[in-house]
């Protein structure tokens, strides 16, 4: 404010409510959960909620990068279905006899395909200079349609019972009493937070989302930074797919339907600014957990029909935005 | 709007262009239009304005000067209803009024012309000027009437952009003029100008001063904020000096020389504003640009820059100076031969230029230079982030050490290292931008408008930094619209007009008259023929 440097302790900074809000919301939701049904806080139920949130949480972690850099990816749900379909077809091809090796190779296929799908999105947005909303709306249709075509309008199922049984523990299995998908969430979140907060690339992501012009005038390769966020998003979708396939062992044209909306909701609830510049990876994970917990509480409770889950989740995103606006108000 | 109660001859109606200015003598014994009584303002415990009592009288141009952070902008925002005082009160027409917002202030005839450009870029000039107060007929908006009135209002400022032009197609200077014209469409008894000439050339500023003279004649109270003390001296009747949020002096402008104003603002005597020019160095050119064509420019430009040299680039706003050097550093499209130290080089992206040791410091500090919403340290290291990487991560300790060094090297004044760039004053932002680009250790430094919106004290420091860079053997290009800067700082000055380099001046030939003649392309009647020593630019 003034040019004279006043001696002012650095500690005097106000608490960053924006960062804490999603966790407070998650905490109060847990209280509501217990009031509704004491079973909510049981170990089994909590683990169940977290495990079920794994798909949205990992995808939303990737979406955090895209949104922080000022983009948007609407294609993630359709991409998940497409990657999942191709991966199952690879499993069915039986090119490798050993089921474990085949599954490992299939995971590699999923990751490469996810990265490629992301690359297509990213390059179209940056080189084509087209709004990400339009680009990913287009690819959403393409991925969804390709899946339906591959499934010939029906479903793609893992044929070999052997493969299915070998792969099954990836979703249902546990290590030290905790299901593997929970480790996936923690791993993706920690890696994502490290990349976004601690690396030069992460700093560039925030800079590009905050002010593309400043980034350009600072010699940052804006197009490359943006493109890579979409590749990260593709990889996150692939990770989600890797845990999704063993759950049902099949893909249909409705796999991943509306996941994009849930992922974007999780990101926004988590405190990431929708217009870019400020990303919160752990907030996003909290957001995904909030969405799943709401569904779970509604199933456990008797007063609200679970058919209204979508309405409640929709209300939550609007309330989260109002909260953000309120926290960001000039004081 | 029609219901606006006119406060005498002072009020002007929305059809500003139709009103003839009556040359009636100034109302002499009238009370102040607006006054502050012991007004103070604090932000979260920090007092930025304390106990200010001022009177702004009709028919008087009252300049408020002070360094950045002196509290001028806060005071203006209180007068215009954007902020409420923490204590004290504002009186309009002698009555205490609580201004709840800018709309309330405007309703009472208090109009603020903002320093920043606040126009919707995709709308036309007329649409912007009448935004929120559109003229309508029974069938809808009356574009014809609005266009005509907008054009007439702009013409009074000597601005001849078509009212149907989109704002984003205008130069910054013209946007500023549109903004001024827009403010004056509101019926007004008091008009507050916040650094209106910051992006105007002398010609445009002249038209503005004439308009201010007309406002004064018609009995409007004019409040004028500026860093340009010569300008204040020329147009103000009364000058108030603020320093560190406190009132220092209010005196008739006639009795106050610019040197004295500067002394009151800074609170100490300024040594000579400009440092000694570093000695020239021998050797081949550090940078040579040959036949460089910027997209949209009428012809190719060529120039050379020697090591240890400060080369000025003068001309009117819109003469193509920024465009040329942005194109040379690959920030916009252009093509031509560039040699550094004699070797040919091509820049395909801005970072190529940076790697080759050529940096460009933008004139648009807030929009392109710094991320205002990010902390100072993040801004400092953004361009040179790879130097702060350890393994995959950013080395925070090294970054923090670099910030400490920048703070001491460039005298950046911050209260707290976690401060956001947007919380710094203009001068400190400019120092931060300098520090940021110097982390790249460039050999060639291009600084566009180095002291725009910067207070006197920081200005002097920035000149010293520039001289030091040249003294270290780096080559510096200074783009500036301030004549004094070119004259006081540069070894050599190139003047551009309409996208061409039209003249080159060196040493004693660098005079205001010589620069203006080439920049405007007109030699005024009294002017002598150009000196024989002035070479014409090699086209």
């Amino acid at each position: 404010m003034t040019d004279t440097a006043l001696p002012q302790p650095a500690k005097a900074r106000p608490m960053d409510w924006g960062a804490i809000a999603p966790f407070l919301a998650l905490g109060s939701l847990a209280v509501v959960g217990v009031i509704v049904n004491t079973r909510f806080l049981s170990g089994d139920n909590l683990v169940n909620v977290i495990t079920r949130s794994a798909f949205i949480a990992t995808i939303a972690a990737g979406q955090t990068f895209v949104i922080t850099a000022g983009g948007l990816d609407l294609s993630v749900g359709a991409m998940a279905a497409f990657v999942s379909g191709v991966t199952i077809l690879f499993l069915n091809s039986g090119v490798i006899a050993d089921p474990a090796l085949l599954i490992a190779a299939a995971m590699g296929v999923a990751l490469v395909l996810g990265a490629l799908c992301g690359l297509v999105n990213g390059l179209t947005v940056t080189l084509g200079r087209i709004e990400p909303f339009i680009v990913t709306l287009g690819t959403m249709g393409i991925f969804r349609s390709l899946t339906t075509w591959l499934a010939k309008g029906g479903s793609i199922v893992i044929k070999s019972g052997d493969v299915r049984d070998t792969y099954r523990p990836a979703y249902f299995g546990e290590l030290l009493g905790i299901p593997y998908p929970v480790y996936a969430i923690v791993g993706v979140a920690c890696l994502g937070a490290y990349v976004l907060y601690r690396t030069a690339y992460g700093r560039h992501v925030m800079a590009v989302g905050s002010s593309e012009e400043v980034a350009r005038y600072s010699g940052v390769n804006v197009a490359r930074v943006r493109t890579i966020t979409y590749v990260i998003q593709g990889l996150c979708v692939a990770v989600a797919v890797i845990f999704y396939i063993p759950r049902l062992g099949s893909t249909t044209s409705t796999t991943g339907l509306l996941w994009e909306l849930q992922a974007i909701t999780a990101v926004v609830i988590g405190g990431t600014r929708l217009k870019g510049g400020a990303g919160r990876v752990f907030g996003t994970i909290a957001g995904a957990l909030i969405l799943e917990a709401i569904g779970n509480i509604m199933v456990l409770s008797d007063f609200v029909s679970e058919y209204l889950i979508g309405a409640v989740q929709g209300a939550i995103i609007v309330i989260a935005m109002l909260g953000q606006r309120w926290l960001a108000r000039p004081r | 709007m029609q219901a606006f109660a006119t406060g005498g001859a002072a009020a002007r109606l929305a059809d500003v262009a139709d009103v003839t200015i009556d040359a009636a003598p100034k109302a002499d014994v009238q009370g102040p239009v607006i006054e502050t009584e012991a007004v103070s303002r604090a932000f979260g415990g920090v007092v930025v304005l304390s106990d200010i009592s001022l009177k702004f009288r009709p028919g008087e141009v009252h300049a408020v000067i002070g360094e950045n952070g002196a509290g001028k902008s806060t005071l203006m925002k209180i007068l215009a209803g954007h902020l409420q005082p923490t204590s004290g009160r504002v009186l309009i027409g002698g009555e205490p009024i609580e201004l709840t917002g800018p709309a309330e202030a405007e309703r009472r005839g208090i109009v603020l012309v903002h320093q920043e450009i606040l126009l919707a870029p995709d709308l036309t000039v007329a649409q912007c000027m009448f935004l929120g107060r559109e003229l309508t007929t029974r069938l809808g908006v009356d574009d014809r009437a609005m266009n005509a009135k907008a054009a007439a209002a702009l013409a009074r400022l000597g601005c001849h952009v078509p009212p149907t032009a989109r704002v984003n197609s205008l130069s910054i200077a013209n946007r500023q003029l549109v903004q001024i014209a827009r403010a004056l469409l509101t019926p007004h008894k008091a008009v507050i100008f916040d650094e209106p000439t910051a992006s105007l050339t002398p010609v445009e500023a002249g038209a503005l001063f004439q308009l201010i003279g007309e406002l004064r004649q018609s009995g409007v109270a004019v409040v004028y904020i500026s860093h340009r003390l010569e300008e204040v001296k020329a147009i103000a009747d009364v000058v108030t000096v603020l320093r560190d949020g406190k009132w220092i002096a209010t005196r008739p402008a006639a009795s106050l020389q610019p040197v004295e104003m500067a002394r009151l603002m800074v609170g100490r005597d300024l040594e000579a504003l400009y440092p000694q020019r570093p000695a020239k160095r021998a050797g081949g050119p550090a940078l040579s640009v040959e036949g460089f064509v910027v997209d949209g420019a009428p012809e190719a430009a060529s120039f050379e820059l020697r090591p240890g040299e400060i080369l000025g680039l003068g001309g009117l706003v819109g003469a193509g100076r920024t465009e040329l050097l942005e194109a040379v550093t690959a920030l916009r499209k252009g093509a031509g031969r560039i040699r550094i130290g004699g070797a040919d080089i091509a820049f395909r992206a801005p970072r190529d230029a940076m790697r080759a040791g050529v940096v460009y410091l933008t004139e648009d500090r807030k929009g392109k230079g710094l991320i205002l919403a990010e902390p100072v340290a993040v801004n400092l290291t953004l361009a040179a982030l790879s130097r702060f990487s350890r393994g995959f991560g950013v080395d925070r300790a090294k970054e923090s050490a670099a910030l400490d060094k920048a703070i001491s090297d460039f005298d950046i004044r911050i209260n707290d290292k976690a401060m956001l760039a947007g919380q710094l004053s203009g001068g400190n932002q400019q120092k931060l931008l300098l520090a940021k680009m110097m982390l790249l250790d460039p050999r060639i430094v291009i600084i566009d408008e180095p002291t725009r919106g910067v207070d006197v004290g920081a200005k002097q420091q920035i000149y010293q930094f520039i001289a030091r860079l040249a003294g270290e053997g780096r080559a510096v290009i200074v783009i500036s619209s301030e004549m004094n800067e070119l004259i006081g700082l540069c070894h050599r000055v190139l003047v551009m007009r309409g996208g061409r380099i039209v003249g080159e001046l060196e040493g004693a030939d660098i005079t205001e008259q010589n620069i203006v003649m080439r920049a405007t392309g007109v030699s005024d009647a009294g002017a002598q023929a150009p000196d024989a020593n002035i070479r014409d630019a090699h086209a």
Side-chain angles (χ1 to χ4, degrees):
Chain A
M1 217 56 228
T2 65
D3 268 9
T4 39
L6 303 171
Q8 205 179 49
K11 285 170 223 147
R13 218 165 307 132
M15 216 193 290
D16 186 358
W17 287 102
I20 309 164
F23 300 97
L24 290 180
L26 191 57
S28 16
L29 204 57
V31 174
V32 173
V34 176
I35 294 169
V36 165
N37 191 324
T38 44
R39 260 195 306 145
F40 177 79
L41 269 192
S42 70
D44 276 357
N45 188 55
L46 278 186
V47 164
N48 179 34
V49 167
I50 299 173
T51 309
R52 285 170 61 103
S53 76
F55 312 131
I56 297 303
T58 43
I59 292 174
Q63 189 80 245
T64 308
F65 278 83
V66 174
I67 290 179
T68 302
L72 190 71
D73 193 343
L74 292 176
S75 72
V76 288
M79 195 196 293
F82 176 59
V83 173
S84 159
V86 172
T87 306
I88 294 177
L89 288 178
F90 177 81
L91 287 171
N92 289 346
S93 73
V95 283
I96 301 168
D98 180 61
L101 283 180
L102 180 66
I103 290 164
M107 288 178 177
V109 167
L111 289 169
V112 170
L113 187 62
L116 281 177
C117 289
L119 190 65
V120 168
N121 278 336
L123 290 178
T124 318
V125 167
T126 54
L127 296 186
R129 293 172 198 276
I130 308 173
E131 286 292 314
F133 183 91
I134 298 302
V135 171
T136 58
L137 195 61
T139 52
M140 173 166 94
I142 295 170
F143 294 145
R144 179 65 63 197
S145 176
L146 283 175
T147 312
T148 315
W149 174 69
L150 288 175
K152 299 186 176 63
S155 59
I156 307 173
V157 188
I158 301 179
K159 283 184 195 146
S160 153
D162 214 14
V163 171
R164 203 181 311 154
D165 292 341
T166 316
Y167 202 167
R168 206 179 132 78
Y171 182 78
F172 294 99
E174 292 180 352
L175 179 68
L176 304 173
I178 296 168
Y180 290 116
V182 178
Y183 291 104
I185 298 178
V186 174
V188 166
C190 290
L191 190 62
Y194 177 76
V195 172
L196 192 57
Y197 302 138
R198 296 279 160 181
T199 65
Y201 172 73
R203 188 70 71 76
H204 286 166
V205 169
M206 296 224 207
V208 165
S210 197
S211 170
E212 183 176 340
E213 285 291 271
V214 175
R216 203 165 71 83
Y217 276 70
S218 302
V220 173
N221 190 336
V222 174
R224 191 176 67 187
V225 169
R226 283 237 163 93
T227 305
I228 292 174
T229 61
Y230 289 93
V231 174
I232 291 174
Q233 172 71 88
L235 287 171
C236 287
V237 167
V239 170
V241 164
I242 285 170
F243 291 97
Y244 176 81
I245 294 174
R247 186 179 172 204
L248 297 176
S250 70
T251 296
T252 69
S253 54
T254 58
T255 295
L257 205 62
L258 295 183
W259 278 8
E260 61 280 347
L261 291 187
Q262 291 197 43
I264 293 166
T265 306
V267 171
V268 172
I269 295 176
T272 296
R273 211 184 305 142
L274 197 50
K275 61 178 194 231
R280 301 186 197 280
V281 177
F282 291 113
T284 295
I285 304 296
L289 291 175
I290 288 172
L291 289 180
E292 196 58 50
I294 290 169
N296 181 260
I297 291 169
M298 289 178 73
V299 171
L300 290 179
S301 79
D302 295 329
F303 1 101
V304 189
S305 160
E306 61 234 51
Y307 294 126
L308 285 172
I309 285 177
V312 174
Q313 287 178 344
I316 294 283
I317 189 169
V318 176
I319 291 167
M321 288 305 286
L322 287 173
Q324 269 191 32
R325 183 68 41 81
W326 187 75
L327 284 171
R329 76 196 186 281
R331 269 165 286 195
Chain B
M1 253 200 326
Q2 287 81 349
F4 179 77
T6 54
R12 184 160 298 167
L13 297 172
D15 45 344
V16 58
D18 303 341
V19 174
T20 51
I21 291 116
D22 53 307
K26 289 194 243 179
D28 30 33
V29 219
Q30 277 189 30
V33 174
I34 183 163
E35 70 187 285
T36 61
E37 233 180 50
V39 159
S40 298
R41 170 76 205 196
F43 288 103
V46 182
V47 177
V48 295
L49 203 61
S50 77
D51 197 24
I52 304 293
S53 298
L54 292 174
K55 292 181 165 65
F56 301 98
R57 296 194 167 81
E60 191 176 80
V61 177
H62 192 146
V64 178
I65 60 175
E67 292 198 277
N68 275 354
K72 297 171 308 224
S73 294
T74 308
L75 178 63
M76 296 311 120
K77 283 180 182 157
I78 288 172
L79 289 178
H82 289 269
L83 284 176
Q84 279 69 49
T86 319
S87 67
R89 53 186 195 165
V90 176
L91 286 78
I92 295 177
E95 281 177 54
I97 302 279
E98 196 174 329
L99 292 173
T100 50
E104 170 73 12
E106 281 197 8
R107 209 174 59 75
R108 295 178 183 277
I110 316 293
V111 178
L112 172 65
V113 180
H114 287 271
Q115 182 183 359
E116 291 92 18
I117 310 284
L118 304 167
L119 298 168
D122 290 320
L123 297 188
T124 68
V125 168
Q127 283 169 348
C128 265
M129 286 177 61
F130 284 91
L131 191 61
R133 46 190 165 180
E134 286 79 4
L135 304 180
T136 53
T137 63
R138 219 169 291 165
L139 295 175
V141 290
D142 189 352
D143 279 319
R144 190 185 298 177
M146 287 192 286
N147 286 340
K149 289 194 168 152
L154 285 168
R156 292 189 63 209
L157 281 161
C159 175
H160 297 285
V161 298
T164 49
R166 304 229 169 254
V167 168
N168 56 16
S169 71
L170 304 186
S171 67
I172 293 189
N174 278 330
R175 289 183 205 192
Q176 179 73 55
L177 293 173
V178 168
Q179 187 152 305
I180 293 170
R182 173 182 206 278
L184 296 181
L185 285 174
T186 320
H188 48 271
K189 286 188 281 190
V191 182
I192 304 162
F193 291 96
D194 192 358
E195 298 217 34
T197 56
S199 56
L200 301 185
T201 61
V203 180
E204 292 150 342
L208 174 66
F209 297 154
Q210 200 175 343
L211 180 96
I212 288 175
E214 289 171 14
L215 290 173
R216 172 211 270 147
Q217 277 293 317
S218 58
V220 172
V222 176
V223 186
Y224 191 85
I225 300 181
S226 179
H227 285 298
R228 299 184 179 179
L229 304 180
E230 298 284 349
E231 192 174 287
V232 168
K233 172 76 184 155
I235 69 159
D237 299 309
V238 179
V239 178
T240 289
V241 183
L242 301 181
R243 191 199 310 150
D244 296 335
K246 296 185 188 71
W247 175 85
I248 299 297
T250 298
R251 297 194 195 160
S255 71
L256 203 57
Q257 294 307 312
V259 183
E260 177 70 358
M261 292 182 202
R263 197 187 62 75
L264 288 170
M265 279 165 62
V266 184
R268 64 186 159 86
D269 279 313
L270 284 172
E271 301 98 316
L273 191 55
Y274 298 99
Q276 191 92 38
R277 285 184 188 80
K280 283 198 192 164
R281 297 190 175 219
L287 170 74
S288 77
V289 173
E290 266 174 58
F292 199 92
V293 188
V294 184
D295 276 16
E299 64 182 54
S302 301
F303 64 91
E304 279 189 352
L305 179 65
R306 295 187 278 268
E309 183 182 39
I310 305 174
L311 173 67
L313 198 49
L316 303 180
V317 171
R321 300 167 298 169
T322 297
E323 290 76 4
L324 174 60
L325 288 172
E326 283 195 350
V328 167
T329 49
L331 285 157
R332 63 172 73 210
K333 284 197 171 138
R337 186 174 185 197
I338 299 173
R339 278 177 297 169
I340 289 180
D344 274 291
I345 193 160
F347 303 142
R348 289 175 51 231
R351 62 193 167 281
D352 295 340
M354 289 179 188
R355 280 195 201 116
V358 184
V359 300
Y360 167 81
L361 278 73
T362 172
E363 59 174 336
D364 185 0
R365 224 157 33 219
K366 292 168 195 275
K368 295 169 182 163
L370 300 172
I371 305 179
L372 301 184
E374 291 285 346
V376 173
V378 169
N379 276 287
L380 177 69
T381 57
L382 185 59
L385 204 50
S386 58
R387 299 187 185 192
F388 292 89
S389 291
R390 190 190 48 192
F392 290 110
V394 173
D395 187 340
R396 301 265 174 127
K398 203 173 165 192
E399 186 172 53
S400 174
L403 179 57
D404 287 333
K405 188 167 184 314
I407 288 172
S408 77
D409 284 359
F410 291 89
D411 191 29
I412 302 169
R413 306 203 186 150
I414 59 177
N415 299 335
D416 174 353
K417 283 172 74 179
M419 262 170 96
L420 306 180
Q423 291 171 322
L424 300 182
S425 69
N428 283 317
Q429 286 182 357
Q430 184 67 20
K431 290 178 191 173
L432 176 60
L433 182 60
L434 265 166
K436 167 182 167 181
M437 300 314 265
M438 288 314 131
L439 280 182
L440 292 161
D441 194 22
R443 280 180 294 163
I444 294 155
V445 184
I446 302 161
I447 313 182
D448 202 345
E449 302 289 0
T451 61
R452 174 180 289 168
V454 166
D455 59 72
V456 181
K459 220 174 198 172
Q460 189 184 15
Q461 287 181 313
I462 288 167
Y463 295 146
Q464 273 158 1
F465 295 139
I466 292 174
R468 195 169 74 201
L469 292 176
E472 290 164 0
R474 302 175 211 264
V476 184
I477 299 178
V478 172
I479 304 177
S480 178
S481 300
E482 287 202 35
M483 298 294 169
N484 291 335
E485 213 159 86
L486 296 172
I487 297 164
L489 197 61
C490 300
H491 292 110
R492 196 161 56 101
V493 172
L494 299 176
V495 183
M496 286 187 76
R497 182 176 76 238
R500 297 179 176 89
I501 297 178
V502 293
E504 178 176 346
L505 302 162
E506 194 154 2
D509 292 328
I510 308 175
T511 63
E512 182 153 356
Q513 194 191 18
N514 278 338
I515 297 171
V516 169
M517 268 166 47
R518 284 160 184 76
T520 54
V522 285
S523 48
D524 41 308
Q528 297 151 340
D531 203 308
N533 294 343
I534 302 157
R535 282 158 286 157
D536 279 322
H538 29 265

